Amino acid sequence: MAGSRFTSALSVLSLASAAIAAPLTSANTANVLNRRAEEICKATSDCIPFTIEVAWGGVDATGAGSRGAILTNGSFPGPALRMKVGECVDFKVINHLEVDTGVHFHGIQQTGTPWSDGVPGLSQYAIKAGDTYMYRWTADEQGGYFYHSHYKGQLMDGLYGAIFISPSDEEENPFSAVDSSAVDALKLAAAKTEPLFISDWSKYTFDQFFAIEEAANIDIACADSLIVNGMGSQTCLTKDQLTALSPPQVANLTAGAGYTAKGCIPANTPATQGNFTRNLAALPADVYDTCTPSTGKTYTLEVDAAAGYASLTFINPGAFAILKASIASHKMWVYDYNGHYVTPQQVDQINVANGERVSVFVKLDQAAGDYQIQISNMGLNQVISGSAVLKYKGSAATAVTGTALLNVAGNPITNTTTVVPFNALKAAPIPAEQVSKTADRTIRMQIQKLPNQPDAYRWTLAGNTPYDMSNDDGTPLLYKDPATIQESDIIKKTNMGEWVDIILETTGPLAQPHPIHKHANKFFMVGQGKGPFNWTSVADAVAYNASMFNFANPPFVDGYTTVPGEGTNTWTVFRYKVEIAGAWFLHCHMQTHFSGGMAIAILDGVDNWPYAPSDAGKVCQGEGSSNSTWNPSCNCPASCPANPGKGPDGNGQGNGQSNGSSGSGSSGNSGSGSNNASGSSNSGDNSGSSSSSSGSWDNGVWVGPNNPSTGDVTSSENTGSNSYVPNSNTGSYSSSTSGSGSGSNDTSPIKTFTGAASSSHVSLFTVLALAVAALSL
């Protein structure tokens, strides 16, 4: 694959001649193979030490009262890890939970370290309660990523934190296309990018949530609120407001009933829930029908206009909601998308699907004030939105200033408001990456509710078979001889060097979008369309009409959202090269869909199968340090003057005490100050029209059961959002950051190793529009 590639610090381990043994820090001892790779701890590590302790605690995210959640170093979300390309990390997890866990590094390719992907049942045994486990891996590509639990549904309980990897000094970047006169300011802003975790939030823990789905036999798509960095509110709209914001489709879908008091399509709607027998008596009223307003804290990010630009990285770890984000009176330049620099786009709005990371520059050229960062739901399933605050240094504002672009339903405030959204189809990678025009292998998937069974919450990526969460507790596929593993609907195999097509067809008539994530090898999104995929391969489809595909400069990502559609199937095609051998997931990143079975395992490179070191997971941290521009070891050089608590005396630096246990910062230096505590730290989009009567182009995708064999397809820029059944109402109801109670602002942004938001942070986000697109049948 073209582009920057860095050999893992562990690549010195001989993967070809080694074999694996059982896990090291857990009680599991079965399935030990005779051959082993070289031990990880044999040599002294110069990797960055980073420790997280995970424990169950209370979180009041919306001011409605505490619910159980997973705290990381006592905080929610967890602390950020910042590195530089070429550096490795010793990422230590201390499991204080009473249950198993595992930590995945979302978007990190794990070149040479497939045993560090963090997926129980695929790449490791689960980390047992009370155990300590260490992952070691190397940062091989710049970008925004995040770590999160990959054990059953724990992601919904809050175990996640940001990872930022700075580029190598010589790496190409797209900053001059944003502002050629301010490249240095943009570099500094990118090095200091701030994470904004935006997601849906429920008062119920994952176990409670899933139990309600089972008992009521529904697929829940109704949230209490949308939160930003663990803060938000539950806001309740009046019936008149909901009616004014309701698009025509809702009346048709609900037989005139309209939205519930929580702004949700009712749980008894067949068009969105499917034709299943429901037990609504088992559904608590507050899941769909009862709205109780509450006011928590508002996340506030302070910026300094003297810097010229700020960088924000939006990350969606949510359960089911695909979200929109905009900033009052500010445009955004998207420069990094799902782990890769892209051709910059100046936009008013970005769409952030589950598992996605979108990094933007914001020019700080407005008057000092507090500007609303608005989050809204993308789909019809719920009218809900929320907000944070972008606060200029020196602002004395007592209320949010500036002009919001979107209303509470995420639509333009007025019919004359022009909103330019981010177009993922045009996210051409920088530097350019080359995709093969042919493939060696095809994996075809059928996304749908699990057929011929009674459960409304069960999904399949493979067409007929769901992935079972109980596999998390089994022997990892990586710890087996691949020759003994039989291919099936949910287990596929590839060989090293192959180009693989993944054809994803989503079953209609209501084909909602699905944010699909692949572990390890990134992929190119080469084509998508509406209607069935009527060919046996991409080659056949290209022969029929090559204009349906982009092999020149397609998005190069680890996650992409399938195309939605009404009244028809839709299809999306990913193509990737097998360069990193191991056992990897391909799955929907909506937690409700993933837990319902929408996943498969791909055993990439079975002809050069890697065997885990005998001491994989063993704790053997070294004394490395990070060269990242923005990290606690800066000690206030000119390159990072805003690094908080980092005076010349070293106050506040890493290796502090967190919850009575040692935390590790990226610098490995000890701090002596009182703030020592938190430690661990296409160019063308194929839009246009066709003269063929068999179909047409719509929003960048081909529409029709048969694609055009004749006629010219004229490419034209598409500025419409690629959203699922977007709300069409453009009423004037405006979202407000004020809630029904007396909340407060938290002005301390999440910084590396400063503990993020504490467990007492109450999520205020006034009504984050967090509705996932309507559920397919």
Side-chain angles (χ1 to χ4, degrees), residues 665-679:
S666 69
S667 66
N669 300 322
S670 60
S672 58
S674 59
N675 198 25
N676 214 22
S678 55

Side-chain angles (χ1 to χ4, degrees), residues 444 503 505 531-537 540-541 544 571 704-707:
R444 190 155 184 170
I503 301 173
E505 187 168 351
F533 191 82
N534 288 328
W535 306 274
T536 58
S537 67
D540 288 344
Y544 193 64
W571 56 268
N706 298 307
N707 292 286

Side-chain angles (χ1 to χ4, degrees), residues 337 340-343 424-437 499 523-527 549-557 560 573-575 682-686:
Y337 174 57
H340 212 288
Y341 285 140
V342 296
T343 302
L425 285 170
K426 300 180 69 175
I430 301 291
E433 298 279 354
Q434 299 301 313
V435 58
S436 173
K437 293 186 178 180
W499 281 90
F523 60 79
F524 295 91
M525 203 299 292
V526 296
F549 297 91
N550 175 13
F551 298 114
N553 52 2
F556 181 57
V557 291
Y560 199 89
V573 177
F574 303 151
R575 177 170 289 180
N682 69 51
S683 65
D685 60 1
N686 289 336

Side-chain angles (χ1 to χ4, degrees), residues 179-241:
D179 188 342
S180 59
S181 66
V183 171
D184 288 343
L186 293 170
K187 285 182 179 180
L188 180 57
K192 297 164 55 178
T193 190
E194 289 287 352
L196 290 180
F197 283 101
I198 60 175
S199 74
D200 47 357
W201 181 254
S202 170
K203 66 181 290 185
Y204 294 103
T205 66
F206 169 76
D207 286 344
Q208 293 168 337
F209 188 98
F210 195 69
I212 292 170
E213 286 196 321
E214 290 180 307
N217 199 28
I218 65 167
D219 196 354
I220 300 175
C222 188
D224 290 340
S225 67
L226 302 183
I227 61 174
V228 181
N229 285 351
M231 306 178 201
S233 296
Q234 182 165 355
T235 301
C236 302
L237 303 179
T238 67
K239 183 67 174 179
D240 288 344
Q241 289 170 333

Side-chain angles (χ1 to χ4, degrees), residues 67 152-154 156-157 202-220 282-284 287 319-320 453 455-459 466-470 590-598:
R67 61 149 275 193
K152 299 186 178 177
Q154 288 178 351
M156 283 179 62
D157 289 328
S202 170
K203 66 181 290 185
Y204 294 103
T205 66
F206 169 76
D207 286 344
Q208 293 168 337
F209 188 98
F210 195 69
I212 292 170
E213 286 196 321
E214 290 180 307
N217 199 28
I218 65 167
D219 196 354
I220 300 175
L283 183 66
V287 175
F320 54 81
Q453 54 79 49
D455 299 329
Y457 51 89
R458 295 293 184 191
W459 288 87
Y467 189 87
D468 191 337
M469 284 194 300
S470 66
M590 292 180 181
Q591 184 63 60
T592 52
H593 294 181
F594 176 54
S595 298
M598 196 185 295

Side-chain angles (χ1 to χ4, degrees), residues 365-680:
D365 58 357
Q366 300 298 303
D370 292 0
Y371 296 87
Q372 183 185 64
I373 303 172
Q374 185 184 1
I375 315 299
S376 307
N377 183 39
M378 284 285 293
L380 280 177
N381 60 301
Q382 187 174 11
V383 173
I384 184 173
S385 72
S387 63
V389 171
L390 183 76
K391 182 182 184 68
Y392 277 62
K393 184 178 180 180
S395 169
T398 58
V400 173
T401 57
T403 303
L405 293 172
L406 307 177
N407 63 21
V408 71
N411 295 308
I413 293 293
T414 69
N415 291 329
T416 59
T417 302
T418 300
V419 175
V420 178
F422 170 57
N423 188 344
L425 285 170
K426 300 180 69 175
I430 301 291
E433 298 279 354
Q434 299 301 313
V435 58
S436 173
K437 293 186 178 180
T438 61
D440 306 297
R441 185 184 299 269
T442 295
I443 299 174
R444 190 155 184 170
M445 300 280 99
Q446 187 75 40
I447 300 175
Q448 60 185 349
K449 292 279 187 134
L450 191 62
N452 304 317
Q453 54 79 49
D455 299 329
Y457 51 89
R458 295 293 184 191
W459 288 87
T460 176
L461 188 66
N464 292 294
T465 308
Y467 189 87
D468 191 337
M469 284 194 300
S470 66
N471 291 334
D472 292 3
D473 299 315
T475 300
L477 295 179
L478 185 67
Y479 280 55
K480 297 180 179 181
D481 182 345
T484 68
I485 303 172
Q486 185 174 359
E487 285 198 79
S488 66
D489 283 351
I490 59 171
I491 298 179
K492 305 296 180 181
K493 296 180 181 180
T494 69
N495 292 321
M496 291 296 289
E498 287 185 328
W499 281 90
V500 180
D501 279 341
I502 298 176
I503 301 173
L504 297 157
E505 187 168 351
T506 307
T507 300
L510 197 57
Q512 75 174 88
H514 298 277
I516 304 297
H517 172 54
K518 187 183 185 304
H519 294 208
N521 304 273
K522 281 186 169 72
F523 60 79
F524 295 91
M525 203 299 292
V526 296
Q528 59 184 20
K530 294 181 179 179
F533 191 82
N534 288 328
W535 306 274
T536 58
S537 67
V538 172
D540 288 344
V542 169
Y544 193 64
N545 188 337
S547 65
M548 295 186 295
F549 297 91
N550 175 13
F551 298 114
N553 52 2
F556 181 57
V557 291
D558 54 66
Y560 199 89
T561 302
T562 62
V563 62
E566 292 180 89
T568 182
N569 290 9
T570 68
W571 56 268
T572 305
V573 177
F574 303 151
R575 177 170 289 180
Y576 75 97
K577 186 177 183 181
V578 181
E579 295 184 301
I580 307 170
W584 314 113
F585 255 140
L586 177 77
H587 67 97
C588 180
H589 219 276
M590 292 180 181
Q591 184 63 60
T592 52
H593 294 181
F594 176 54
S595 298
M598 196 185 295
I600 67 167
I602 300 181
L603 309 185
D604 276 327
V606 294
D607 57 334
N608 190 25
W609 195 242
Y611 292 99
S614 61
D615 60 346
K618 182 178 179 180
V619 177
C620 53
Q621 287 177 261
E623 298 297 330
S625 61
S626 175
N627 294 316
S628 174
T629 304
W630 180 243
N631 67 72
S633 63
C634 282
N635 218 24
C636 266
S639 61
C640 56
N643 219 347
K646 307 297 183 293
D649 58 355
N651 289 352
Q653 292 189 23
N655 288 349
Q657 295 297 310
S658 173
N659 287 344
S661 58
S662 177
S664 50
S666 69
S667 66
N669 300 322
S670 60
S672 58
S674 59
N675 198 25
N676 214 22
S678 55
S680 44

Side-chain angles (χ1 to χ4, degrees), residues 136-147:
R136 180 177 293 167
W137 49 267
T138 295
D140 59 1
E141 288 196 322
Q142 74 78 36
Y145 307 92
F146 69 118
Y147 62 87

